[in-house]
Amino acid sequence: MKKYLSMLLLGVTALVAANAAQAGAIDDAVKRGTLKVGMDPTYMPFEMTDKRGEIIGFEVDILKAMAKSMGVKLELVSTGYDGIIPAFLTGKFDMIGSGMTLTQERNLRLNFSEPFIVVGQTLLIRKELEGTIKSYKDLNDEKYRLTSKLGTTGEMVAKKLISKAKYHGYDNEQEGVLDVVNGKADAFVYDAPYNVVAEKKVGNGKLVFLEEPFTFEPLAFGLKKGDYDSINFINNFLHQIKNDGTYDRIHDKWFKSSEWLKDME
């Protein structure tokens, strides 16, 4: 009898632990009344800081809609990109929403929602190299110097696919772009949506945008391993907004209009 009761108690304990594990980030946010999202607000037009000091962008608007659907407030926790995963894993915020590419390497440490957009790496090159550099393969030579942002897939791709070129990474995107504008580097490797804006905003006529993406990069929200309830909620939220017009409205605001650039000057 004692053995039976002991086994029964262990079963109840395991069930309670399983139910506790299922609580997850979304449930915690609802109970708290605030959804905390970690992001590095330097990635135009996904998340960036405007001239009033407010964080705005495509991904920010999606997160605002998500928080509204949960009936909670959205709190954006500004965090350097190269340290965003460690900060998340130590509980600084509920999820990562920072233009993060769903890579297999990251997927070993995090769970991801379904992608909310797919992008690819492209190049901003020095004007003088127009015609000479037609693709990333032409840059794979030790005489060229590349830049990107530390900890991003731009850096990973530069080191993997253009490994013969010299590389120097920066803490933010604009420093890397300005290196090319000022002739200190030959090319900036980064996501297409950022590069198309950067060419107009800081290019000063000294950059050429090679717009054909040469990688496949789904961007998604990062969550803790095992948090399947939160993934289920976010995926269903994404399905809803992609079919009720909300996603298209937000997308067009940031990708088919340049009005928001006035807030960045």
Side-chain angles (χ1 to χ4, degrees), residues 55-107:
I55 299 176
I56 62 171
F58 170 67
E59 191 168 2
V60 174
D61 280 0
I62 290 177
L63 288 165
K64 284 180 178 178
M66 185 188 299
K68 183 179 180 181
S69 74
M70 296 165 58
V72 303
K73 295 180 180 179
L74 176 64
E75 180 182 337
L76 302 176
V77 183
S78 186
T79 308
Y81 200 83
D82 56 343
I84 202 166
I85 293 178
F88 169 64
L89 294 177
T90 55
K92 297 290 177 61
F93 31 85
D94 300 312
M95 57 187 281
I96 297 174
S98 194
M100 181 166 281
T101 301
L102 196 174
T103 67
Q104 280 61 59
E105 181 183 5
R106 288 171 178 156
N107 211 175

Side-chain angles (χ1 to χ4, degrees), residues 127 177-178 181-182 197-207:
K127 182 73 173 177
V177 175
L178 289 175
V181 171
N182 296 328
V197 175
E199 181 196 16
K200 297 175 183 177
K201 187 172 184 293
V202 298
N204 200 27
K206 296 182 178 180
L207 299 177

Side-chain angles (χ1 to χ4, degrees), residues 124-134 139 143-145 177-187 199 203-210:
L124 288 174
I125 63 171
R126 287 194 295 114
K127 182 73 173 177
E128 295 80 2
L129 293 175
E130 186 174 14
T132 300
I133 303 299
K134 297 178 181 178
L139 284 167
K143 68 181 179 181
Y144 293 120
R145 184 176 184 271
V177 175
L178 289 175
D179 242 19
V180 184
V181 171
N182 296 328
K184 296 179 180 179
D186 298 299
E199 181 196 16
N204 200 27
K206 296 182 178 180
L207 299 177
V208 174
F209 177 39
L210 300 187

Side-chain angles (χ1 to χ4, degrees), residues 95-228:
M95 57 187 281
I96 297 174
S98 194
M100 181 166 281
T101 301
L102 196 174
T103 67
Q104 280 61 59
E105 181 183 5
R106 288 171 178 156
N107 211 175
L108 292 173
R109 304 177 69 189
L110 305 173
N111 277 350
F112 283 94
S113 69
E114 291 181 8
F116 58 85
I117 196 170
V118 175
V119 300
Q121 293 300 304
T122 56
L123 297 169
L124 288 174
I125 63 171
R126 287 194 295 114
K127 182 73 173 177
E128 295 80 2
L129 293 175
E130 186 174 14
T132 300
I133 303 299
K134 297 178 181 178
S135 81
Y136 74 94
K137 296 178 182 178
D138 297 326
L139 284 167
N140 198 27
D141 190 301
E142 60 183 12
K143 68 181 179 181
Y144 293 120
R145 184 176 184 271
L146 310 177
T147 73
S148 191
K149 182 178 179 179
L150 293 170
T152 65
T153 47
E155 179 176 63
M156 297 175 196
V157 165
K159 292 181 176 180
K160 183 178 180 180
L161 299 182
I162 322 174
S163 58
K164 291 181 181 179
K166 299 179 181 67
Y167 176 82
H168 180 75
Y170 286 95
D171 289 330
N172 65 68
E173 294 91 343
Q174 187 159 311
E175 286 183 286
V177 175
L178 289 175
D179 242 19
V180 184
V181 171
N182 296 328
K184 296 179 180 179
D186 298 299
F188 176 74
V189 186
Y190 215 63
D191 298 352
Y194 180 89
N195 279 350
V196 70
V197 175
E199 181 196 16
K200 297 175 183 177
K201 187 172 184 293
V202 298
N204 200 27
K206 296 182 178 180
L207 299 177
V208 174
F209 177 39
L210 300 187
E211 62 185 26
E212 185 65 32
F214 56 93
T215 61
F216 171 81
E217 300 196 21
L219 306 189
F221 298 113
L223 294 143
K224 287 184 179 176
K225 300 282 277 186
D227 192 357
Y228 300 112

